[in-house]
Amino acid sequence: MGTSHPFPAQASRPARVPLRRMLPALVRDPARALIDAGNRTGGRLARINLGSFRPYLVTHPDHVQHVLRERAENYERAGDGLFWRPVKRLFGEGILGEGQIWSASRRMLQPMFTAKRVESMIDGMAEAISDAVDELDAPSRVGRPVDIGSEQARIVCRAIMKVLFADKISVPDAMRVVDAQDAIASAVIPRIVVPFAPLSLPMPGDRTFRRAVRIVDEVLVPIVRESRATAEEGDDVISTLWRARTDDGRQLDEQQVRNDTVAMFAATTETTINVLTWLWPHLDEHPEVADRLYEEINRVVGDEPVRREHLGELRYTRMVLDELLRLYPIGWLIPRRAVAADVVGGVEIEAGATVVASPLITQRMSAFWDRPDEFDPERFRPEQVRARHRYAHFPFGGGPHQCLGMYLFYLEAQLIVATMLSRYRFRLRQPGVPGLRLAAALRPRRRVELTLTGTAASAAA
Ligand code: HEM
């Protein structure tokens, strides 16, 4: 798709999305209902009617680019915005917020995630992933099924705790935090669905939320505290945060370092764990994709451990990851608040209005994608990517808040996929692709269980 897409640039009234009338569809399958609503707008700016709360929905890639990048200074990620309130209760002010504290955190953390720094982590990550995958040998030998979501959680935690948290958080403790995050992601759904409900009004999920936040704090706060004394020496996330300074030279306080540690923990774990869970059912449904993936991994990696120099050659693996991120963009909702009035696609937006972009909706709209619900990695051949609008596929957002972990994600996910597929073939226990659960971050609706068998190469090794 190019910028010449025939959408009515001069429409002066937003399309309407009467969510209340869509209630039955929303209850049945909220993700589908939102994608269908996006499709009905055809790319026109729309207004979602939630009664007293009426956010604008931007779906056209030109409009997404306008809000996230070109006029980013006018669209702030307001911590007191209604959509942000539920997650802000967990993360507080910091890297996932806006303003001075965000910019201090971003300035300090960004250098940790440049291509060069992330490449220097590959060997450590590859080793940790390989050791963690070894533990799948036992179930594979006796044909015992595994819950691949929790196995991936273990693999990701082992790699990330080593390269980003200097093993300050043990893998069992990290798994407790991952489980608590999982509970939190579901517990906040009622507050995301009814964003205008006051915090003083008890809602379902509140108690689970509080209990889970307590677990997160029990594990992470003592480590944050202990790291302060040695902050000058370490290049892990927590030490780096202790060295951060705001524009006026202040050190972040313990609460702020805690907030960013919790946010970085979530950003580096649940994203990768969840998106990879969908890989297996799609490979099961598309044996031709699985064959190409096995062929590439076999040719590039063979029966060696996966190494840094293999990654650049795993081009098809990368296309498969991009297609997974198109269908399952874990950060599915990107809300902003308009600082001053603006006009987008000919529609006037008033100052203070909430404006929402959603990679999930845009990336599945038939106006911008051919056969949008079909899994087809060919869409990510380089020539196809070049021909498409940059903001037709934006799983990592864009502009000043663009995801810090994009490069890390691709390398880590390539390592995990190549390590697992070079060692095992798999069989799903229950065929079919799990639906989408719209939590604070996107999750599969059910667990995916697999039986693994070792490949000839792994048996010989
Ligand atoms: C599947 C993988 C991932 C996806 C789909 C994803 C998605 C996103 C999206 C959509 C945003 C933009 C939020 C906004 O504009 O309001 C974001 C921001 C962010 N992501 Fe990721 N992310 C992923 C993995 C990671 C990883 C591995 C890290 C580790 C460093 C990370 C760290 C961050 C941070 C720190 C921000 C906030 C940046 C800022 O506001 O300055 N993410 N991510």
Side-chain angles (χ1 to χ4, degrees), residues 39-361:
N39 268 322
R40 278 200 293 278
T41 70
R44 274 206 304 153
L45 206 88
R47 194 135 207 206
I48 304 178
N49 191 351
L50 289 166
S52 58
F53 178 48
R54 296 165 67 217
Y56 291 91
L57 173 70
V58 294
T59 56
H60 194 287
D62 282 347
H63 301 164
V64 174
Q65 177 168 338
H66 177 96
V67 169
L68 295 188
R69 201 185 70 198
E70 281 159 10
R71 297 245 23 230
E73 78 296 342
N74 191 49
Y75 292 94
E76 56 177 22
R77 192 166 56 181
D80 58 349
L82 286 176
F83 280 120
W84 271 107
R85 236 177 26 186
V87 278
K88 198 182 159 199
R89 289 188 300 154
L90 172 65
F91 300 129
E93 289 296 348
I95 185 67
L96 294 181
E98 192 63 279
Q100 275 226 20
I101 296 175
W102 164 74
S103 70
S105 301
R106 174 114 195 167
R107 214 173 30 241
M108 275 318 272
L109 289 169
Q110 195 153 3
M112 282 193 82
F113 297 100
T114 58
K116 202 161 153 220
R117 280 292 292 280
V118 172
E119 270 158 37
S120 73
M121 297 174 196
I122 295 178
D123 294 343
M125 253 191 317
E127 199 183 292
I129 288 168
S130 174
D131 290 348
V133 171
D134 282 348
E135 289 182 33
L136 292 171
D137 280 349
S140 85
R141 267 198 298 271
V142 293
R144 190 173 70 238
V146 294
D147 167 355
I148 200 63
S150 59
E151 294 303 329
Q152 282 161 186
R154 190 176 54 72
I155 295 166
V156 167
C157 282
R158 185 125 168 205
I160 292 295
M161 295 316 120
K162 176 172 175 173
V163 298
L164 292 184
F165 291 94
D167 284 329
K168 288 178 173 172
I169 309 166
S170 71
V171 174
D173 273 350
M175 293 290 283
R176 280 182 71 207
V177 178
V178 168
D179 287 343
Q181 277 171 189
D182 208 46
I184 288 167
S186 301
V188 298
I189 297 175
R191 290 201 178 268
I192 290 181
V193 175
V194 192
F196 38 83
L199 287 180
S200 54
L201 180 77
M203 296 270 283
D206 282 356
R207 197 179 305 162
T208 311
F209 179 92
R210 280 193 298 272
R211 206 178 310 127
V213 172
R214 239 189 342 262
I215 294 174
V216 170
D217 281 339
E218 257 169 42
V219 174
L220 296 181
V221 169
I223 297 169
V224 164
R225 230 168 253 158
E226 280 161 29
S227 298
R228 184 172 198 163
T230 52
E232 291 311 317
E233 299 151 26
D235 58 1
D236 58 284
V237 166
I238 306 175
S239 305
T240 304
L241 287 167
W242 274 122
R243 292 198 302 270
R245 295 291 179 273
T246 54
D247 293 340
D248 53 11
R250 272 182 303 121
Q251 187 182 31
L252 302 185
D253 62 27
E254 186 177 294
Q255 184 62 35
Q256 288 155 351
V257 175
R258 172 265 175 219
N259 291 346
D260 277 349
T261 302
V262 173
M264 291 306 289
F265 188 101
T268 51
T269 54
E270 62 177 326
T271 48
T272 312
I273 296 166
N274 285 304
V275 76
L276 288 182
T277 304
W278 273 288
L279 169 72
W280 310 91
H282 279 294
L283 293 186
D284 183 62
E285 287 202 340
H286 294 271
E288 72 294 352
V289 175
D291 285 349
R292 279 194 63 188
L293 204 52
Y294 282 127
E295 186 282 320
E296 175 174 271
I297 292 167
N298 199 20
R299 177 167 41 79
V300 174
V301 178
D303 51 8
E304 299 172 26
V306 187
R307 286 195 313 270
R308 180 194 310 224
E309 52 278 24
H310 294 142
L311 298 186
E313 288 180 58
L314 293 174
R315 295 192 187 90
Y316 189 68
T317 311
R318 165 80 191 239
M319 285 162 60
V320 169
L321 293 173
D322 271 326
E323 178 65 343
L324 283 174
L325 286 168
R326 182 184 71 82
L327 289 169
Y328 309 104
I330 301 300
W332 65 281
L333 187 71
I334 308 186
R336 294 290 189 263
R337 187 176 56 197
V339 177
D342 191 16
V343 177
V344 181
V347 172
E348 275 183 42
I349 308 249
E350 67 278 15
T354 298
V355 178
V356 177
S358 166
L360 175 68
I361 297 178

